[in-house]
Amino acid sequence: MVVDEEAADRLFHALADTTRRDILRRSIEGEPSVSRLAELYPMSFAAVQKHVAVLERAGLVTKTRHGREQRVRTDPDGVRRARQALDHLEALWRGRVDRMVDLLAEPAGTSGPDEPKETDR
């Protein structure tokens, strides 16, 4: 999988904040309005709008207008892309751990492919 670094940066920036993760969770459970979300947090309406905008830029939520309200809905494709990015990172780290385990399992005194053997020195 090819990971778009800018998209990954937006994603992890969006998920780095507790309030944004809570907004995402609430929008998975329903479609709260931005006004309703603003009532739930000890911050201004404008601050909540900014949090929603960060989630929207990361592709995790979409806003739709219903009359005078802006409703926040989780974008399932965005959540899937987030999961894929995390799976990609996990695979990289598992590969690194596996290589470390292999290196540590080598008997003492053996050299890797790039190191000269004792007889070559």
Side-chain angles (χ1 to χ4, degrees):
M1 175 186 150
V2 176
V3 175
D4 176 354
E5 292 297 324
E6 288 183 30
D9 288 347
R10 285 190 302 273
L11 170 70
F12 290 119
H13 171 73
L15 294 174
D17 184 83
T18 304
T19 300
R20 288 192 290 267
R21 288 191 308 271
D22 190 59
I23 291 170
L24 182 62
R25 181 186 57 77
R26 289 175 188 277
S27 68
I28 287 170
E29 295 170 352
E31 288 186 28
S33 68
V34 176
S35 301
R36 175 67 182 124
L37 289 169
E39 294 171 1
L40 300 171
Y41 304 105
M43 61 184 71
S44 69
F45 177 82
V48 172
Q49 280 183 308
K50 287 179 183 179
H51 281 300
V52 171
V54 170
L55 290 166
E56 198 171 21
R57 279 192 301 275
L60 294 169
V61 301
T62 58
K63 286 189 306 190
T64 54
R65 183 163 291 284
H66 289 273
R68 294 175 44 122
E69 291 183 328
Q70 291 265 329
R71 298 222 174 233
V72 180
R73 174 188 294 170
T74 298
D75 183 341
D77 290 336
V79 173
R80 182 183 42 76
R81 286 189 302 273
R83 181 69 215 165
Q84 288 173 338
L86 291 170
D87 288 345
H88 178 73
L89 287 173
E90 179 183 12
L92 288 174
W93 279 104
R94 285 187 184 276
R96 289 178 181 175
V97 168
D98 290 345
R99 286 192 296 281
M100 285 190 287
V101 167
D102 292 344
L103 285 172
L104 292 172
E106 287 182 6
T110 61
S111 58
D114 295 335
E115 296 180 25
K117 294 185 172 71
E118 289 296 321
T119 57
D120 295 338
R121 292 185 185 163

